């Protein structure tokens, strides 16, 4: 059973998690064992983003500047006050490259957390087995000033485009809806780690909460 967004949940399946207690010093999912809990998602705002940025032990990636007409539409974080954020997800929404609405989710996570796979709609915690890393990358982004190759993730549902690569020694996922919005990835998207951004983030345009980040 998937829990409401007001409770911590498993980043891999969305199920209930048991808080640390007498018999365990970690969060536990009945299906996946020890996990970093996905914290409740709140409506997008500069303040909500700041809470995640302050807690994060991994990058908080965002296209910066945002593509024309795009808005920040949500942020999620897996981890607790003790361990800090071990995975982050930032949602942005705007006009798609071929018309109509588009959505983009950027996830940074440590090995094994499983949040990116959940949003990508694939099994297994990490994308490695589904990447053709022996072949040329399908796309490149500029992540914190570094050219970062991205490969398409095989086996994802047909309604989305899923790319993954490695930035700063951690997984970087880019998931776009609908599938045609993946064309954004061929424009050498510039990503900023918001932990290093300046005061201009206070002017970030915010939209309505994306349902994608709740899925």
């Amino acid at each position: 059973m998937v829990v409401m967004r007001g409770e911590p949940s498993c980043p891999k399946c969305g199920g209930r998690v048991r808080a640390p207690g007498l018999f365990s010093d970690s969060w536990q999912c009945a299906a996946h064992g020890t996990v970093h809990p996905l914290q409740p998602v709140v409506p997008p705002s500069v303040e909500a983003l700041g809470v995640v940025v302050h807690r994060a032990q991994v990058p908080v990636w965002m296209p910066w500047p945002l593509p024309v007409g795009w808005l920040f539409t949500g942020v999620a974080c897996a981890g607790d006050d003790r361990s800090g954020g071990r995975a982050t997800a930032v949602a942005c929404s705007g006009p798609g490259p071929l018309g109509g609405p588009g959505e983009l989710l950027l996830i940074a996570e440590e090995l094994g957390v499983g949040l990116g796979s959940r949003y990508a709609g694939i099994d297994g915690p990490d994308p490695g087995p589904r990447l053709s890393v022996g072949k040329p990358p399908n796309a490149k982004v500029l992540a914190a000033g570094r050219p970062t190759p991205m490969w398409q993730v095989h086996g994802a549902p047909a309604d989305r485009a899923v790319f993954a690569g490695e930035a700063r020694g951690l997984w970087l996922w880019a998931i776009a809806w609908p599938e045609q919005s993946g064309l954004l990835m061929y424009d050498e998207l510039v990503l900023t780690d918001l932990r290093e951004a300046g005061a201009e983030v206070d002017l970030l345009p915010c939209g309505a909460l994306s349902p994608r980040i709740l899925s």
Side-chain angles (χ1 to χ4, degrees):
M1 175 171 54
V2 175
V3 300
M4 299 298 289
R5 67 173 185 259
E7 306 172 19
S9 60
C10 175
K12 299 178 181 180
C13 67
R16 295 185 181 277
V17 288
R18 188 171 65 250
L22 287 175
F23 303 106
S24 175
D25 61 357
S26 60
W27 291 80
Q28 298 287 320
C29 168
H32 295 103
T34 299
V35 297
H36 294 292
L38 181 63
Q39 296 300 320
V41 176
V42 298
S45 66
V46 172
E47 292 76 17
L49 184 60
V51 169
V52 171
V53 169
H54 178 73
R55 174 183 289 169
Q57 302 296 313
V58 300
V60 184
W61 296 117
M62 178 177 281
W64 197 257
L66 283 169
V68 175
W70 281 64
L71 303 170
F72 161 60
T73 52
V75 64
C77 176
D80 58 19
D81 290 336
R82 181 182 60 180
S83 65
R86 301 298 178 168
T88 62
V90 172
C92 301
S93 306
L98 299 181
E103 298 198 58
L104 178 67
L105 206 58
L106 295 169
I107 299 105
E109 65 180 354
E110 295 179 350
L111 188 72
V113 175
L115 185 61
S117 290
R118 176 180 165 189
Y119 286 128
I122 62 173
D123 295 327
D126 300 308
R130 297 173 181 265
L131 302 181
S132 300
V133 292
K135 298 181 179 180
N138 301 105
K140 290 183 180 180
V141 298
L142 198 65
R146 292 181 175 272
T148 302
M150 302 284 285
W151 286 268
Q152 203 148 13
V153 177
H154 303 299
D159 67 336
R160 69 202 73 181
V162 182
F163 299 84
E166 183 181 329
R168 296 188 164 176
L170 301 160
W171 288 122
L172 166 61
W173 297 76
I175 307 170
W177 292 266
E179 188 269 339
Q180 297 93 325
S181 291
L183 292 172
L184 286 167
M185 299 299 297
Y186 299 101
D187 291 335
E188 294 203 355
L189 208 60
V190 177
L191 306 183
T192 292
D193 181 356
L194 293 181
R195 297 178 302 171
E196 301 170 352
E200 64 268 21
V201 175
D202 293 340
L203 304 176
L204 185 69
C206 301
L209 180 63
S210 169
R212 301 295 184 185
I213 208 162
L214 297 174
S215 62

